[in-house]
Each structure stands twice: as C-alpha cells, then as structure tokens.
Amino acid sequence: MADLLKALGEFNRLSLVYELCECAKPRNAMCLCDCCSVDSSVASRHLKVLAQEGVVRIERKGRERMYSLNRAEVAARLRALADQIEG
Amino acid sequence: MADLLKALGEFNRLSLVYELCECAKPRNAMCLCDCCSVDSSVASRHLKVLAQEGVVRIERKGRERMYSLNRAEVAARLRALADQIEG
DNA sequence: GACTTATTTGTGCAAATGTGCAACTATTGG
DNA sequence: CCAATAGTTGCACATTTGCACAAATAAGTC
C-alpha cells in the first residue's frame, strides 16, 4: 500500500493521473507528457512507475503506447485504506 | 493532495498510521516509536510530517505528547480522490 | 533499406529524504 | 534545586529521486 501511495504522491505523477481522469479514451505518452511540463523521458519513467503499481494500463498500438487509468482498481484500494483508517 | 499521499507513502510513516488505527485512545511518541523499529528522533520527525498534513493530531499531556488519528478527515480525503479517479 | 516518429534507457547531477547519534530543551517528580 | 523522562533538533552520511540530455530501440512509411 505504501508503494501505491508513494507512486501517487509525486506531483507530476499525480498530474498524469488527473489528466488521465479526464480522458475517456486511452492517451499516448506524448500527449500525456504535455500536461506536466517535463521531458518525455521523465514522463515515460513516471508512467512506468504508475504501471508497476497498477495505476495505469498500457496498450500497444503500433509504435505508440496508449495509457489508461485502472479506475476501479485504484479507487477500490484507496477506499479500502479509507475504511481501515476510519475503523 | 500529492503532499498527503507522499506523507502516507513511506513505509514507517504508514506503519505509524496503522498502529494508530488500532488505538482507541491517543498514544505518546515513545509507544508509537516501538511499532516501527527506528530511533525516537526518526519517529518524531515522521509524526511531525503526518501532523503537518493533518493525518494526526497532537495533544500535550504534561511532558508527553499524545498522538491520535484524524480518522474522518483522512478517510474523506482519500475517498474524494477515489471518487475523482473513478469519475 | 532509409527515414521519421514514439518511446525507452543510459548517464550524470543536484536536491530531497530517511536514518542514527549526540546534544539540547522542556516538564515532571523528589 | 536536581535527577529523570519525553521529545526535538543539529549534524553527518548513505540512499533515493527527479530531471535533462543524448543515444538506443521499436515500428510505421516512403
């Protein structure tokens, strides 16, 4: 759980998540890269971290990689923590 | 929000939160220090971070400081994020 | 195959972070 | 006042982290 929170607890990574929140369809890395003003290599690494924690899902589409949010799963994990904390 | 997640996204800090989850009554720092096996100074710093993010509340009791979890507030913030992510 | 585009990876660096120890500051109790 | 206890802070150190740039990989297009 700490790893998930750490993944979400970085400003640019959370920005990527918020950006994906607004997208009904998967987005490629170049598009996502624009929302946080960092190099594409940096966005790539951030997205990799998010993928490792199951926050985003990657779908290969030719030479592009389309990212989308694992909405239900992430929401469920956050709610589980909230429930545990509320006791 | 990123700051809250960052505060929770560190192993020992999350351990402190879990420990406080189990406590019906406020606990002092020495007691909490035992749950994660670190120096008392480290626990002090972690608790300070958690307090700054509103995760825990401090109550002075003589020479001790009693910590308790802001259960409702933290749970609400996590659920708000979950709602936003689920869209 | 050569070229273009999208993305990842290697590298180096500066800043942030977690840690333990020792010294310091309360605050209580004798 | 003095000793003991609880907690904080300064310091040094090791590790991690985020970043940019350049090079490498991958895949479509001509």
Side-chain angles (χ1 to χ4, degrees), chain A residues 3-20:
Chain A
D3 290 331
L4 171 65
L5 296 170
K6 184 177 288 185
L8 294 174
E10 199 276 332
F11 186 79
N12 285 325
R13 276 198 295 270
L14 192 58
S15 299
L16 289 168
V17 171
Y18 283 151
E19 184 70 17
L20 280 168

Side-chain angles (χ1 to χ4, degrees), chain B residues 32-51:
Chain B
L32 293 167
C33 168
D34 294 335
C35 83
C36 54
S37 50
V38 293
D39 194 77
S40 63
S41 66
V42 175
S44 172
R45 289 191 176 97
H46 282 322
L47 288 165
K48 187 178 182 181
V49 171
L50 293 172

Side-chain angles (χ1 to χ4, degrees), chain B:
Chain B
M1 175 58 84
D3 289 330
L4 170 65
L5 296 170
K6 184 178 287 185
L8 294 173
E10 201 275 332
F11 187 80
N12 284 325
R13 275 198 296 269
L14 192 57
S15 299
L16 290 169
V17 171
Y18 284 150
E19 184 71 17
L20 280 168
C21 265
E22 306 300 320
C23 304
K25 295 183 177 180
R27 287 285 170 91
N28 67 7
M30 293 304 285
C31 167
L32 293 167
C33 168
D34 294 335
C35 83
C36 54
S37 50
V38 293
D39 194 77
S40 63
S41 66
V42 175
S44 172
R45 289 191 176 97
H46 282 322
L47 288 165
K48 187 178 182 181
V49 171
L50 293 172
Q52 280 171 341
E53 291 306 317
V55 177
V56 303
R57 185 183 5 188
I58 311 179
E59 187 187 348
R60 299 200 168 193
K61 203 88 174 181
R63 71 185 136 189
E64 297 180 356
R65 311 226 166 154
M66 311 304 283
Y67 293 88
S68 53
L69 211 48
N70 281 327
R71 296 177 187 269
E73 181 191 325
V74 176
R77 293 180 69 183
L78 290 173
R79 289 204 183 97
L81 178 61
D83 291 344
Q84 190 173 355
I85 285 178
E86 204 157 41

Side-chain angles (χ1 to χ4, degrees), chain A residues 28-30 41 44-45 48 63-65 67:
Chain A
N28 67 7
M30 293 303 286
S41 68
S44 173
R45 287 195 172 94
K48 187 178 182 180
R63 73 185 133 189
E64 297 180 353
R65 311 226 166 154
Y67 293 88

Side-chain angles (χ1 to χ4, degrees), chain A residues 10-23 29 31-36 38 42-48 50 56 69:
Chain A
E10 199 276 332
F11 186 79
N12 285 325
R13 276 198 295 270
L14 192 58
S15 299
L16 289 168
V17 171
Y18 283 151
E19 184 70 17
L20 280 168
C21 265
E22 306 299 321
C23 304
C31 167
L32 292 169
C33 167
D34 293 336
C35 83
C36 55
V38 293
V42 176
S44 173
R45 287 195 172 94
H46 281 323
L47 287 165
K48 187 178 182 180
L50 292 172
V56 303
L69 212 48

